[in-house]
Amino acid sequence: MTLNIKITDKAVSWFENEMGLEPGDGVHFFGKVYGKTEIHEGFSVGMRIEKPDSNLLGKVKINGITYFASKEDDWFFSRYDLVVDYDDKKEEPIYHFNAKE
C-alpha cells in the first residue's frame, strides 16, 4: 500500500526556512519511540534530512525537495495518509493521520 503525503504551504515554508533546505534535499519521516500522535500512543513522528533511496512507501516533491517515508516504516503509517501542517502556537510542524478508505 502506498502512503500519500501532503505538506501544507505553511509547513513547506517552515522546512525550507528553519532547516535551510534546498532543491535536491530530502526530508525523511519515520516512526520513533516516545511521544504520541493522533493514532499512536508511545510513538511520534521523527524527521531527518536525508536523500531518498528506492525503498519508498510514499513521497511528494515540492520546490525540488522530496518529502518521503520508507517501506520499513509501514508499521507506523499503514492504513493512513500523512498530512504535515504547521502549528502557529508551537511554531513547529504538526502531523495528522487520515484513515485510508
Side-chain angles (χ1 to χ4, degrees):
M1 188 176 269
T2 303
L3 170 69
N4 294 309
I5 301 172
K6 180 180 189 299
I7 316 286
T8 67
D9 291 342
K10 280 186 172 185
V12 167
S13 293
W14 184 89
F15 281 105
E16 290 177 359
N17 296 326
E18 294 298 318
M19 297 181 79
L21 297 174
E22 297 179 357
D25 288 338
V27 177
H28 182 186
F29 298 110
F30 56 93
K32 68 176 191 172
V33 177
Y34 302 116
K36 181 180 176 187
T37 71
E38 298 166 341
I39 59 167
H40 303 98
E41 189 65 49
F43 296 94
S44 59
V45 177
M47 65 166 167
R48 62 180 167 249
I49 298 173
E50 184 175 275
K51 299 226 187 282
D53 58 21
S54 60
N55 191 30
L56 298 182
L57 182 63
K59 71 175 183 174
V60 63
K61 197 168 195 172
I62 302 170
N63 299 336
I65 299 161
T66 304
Y67 300 87
F68 68 97
S70 297
K71 287 182 183 173
E72 63 195 27
D73 285 305
D74 186 46
W75 66 271
F76 186 77
F77 295 109
S78 76
R79 301 184 322 272
Y80 297 94
D81 288 326
L82 178 65
V83 177
V84 183
D85 200 357
Y86 179 76
D87 186 323
D88 290 312
K89 290 181 181 150
K90 292 184 178 179
E91 298 183 342
E92 64 186 28
I94 186 169
Y95 304 94
H96 299 288
F97 295 81
N98 294 336
K100 290 185 181 284
E101 308 214 352

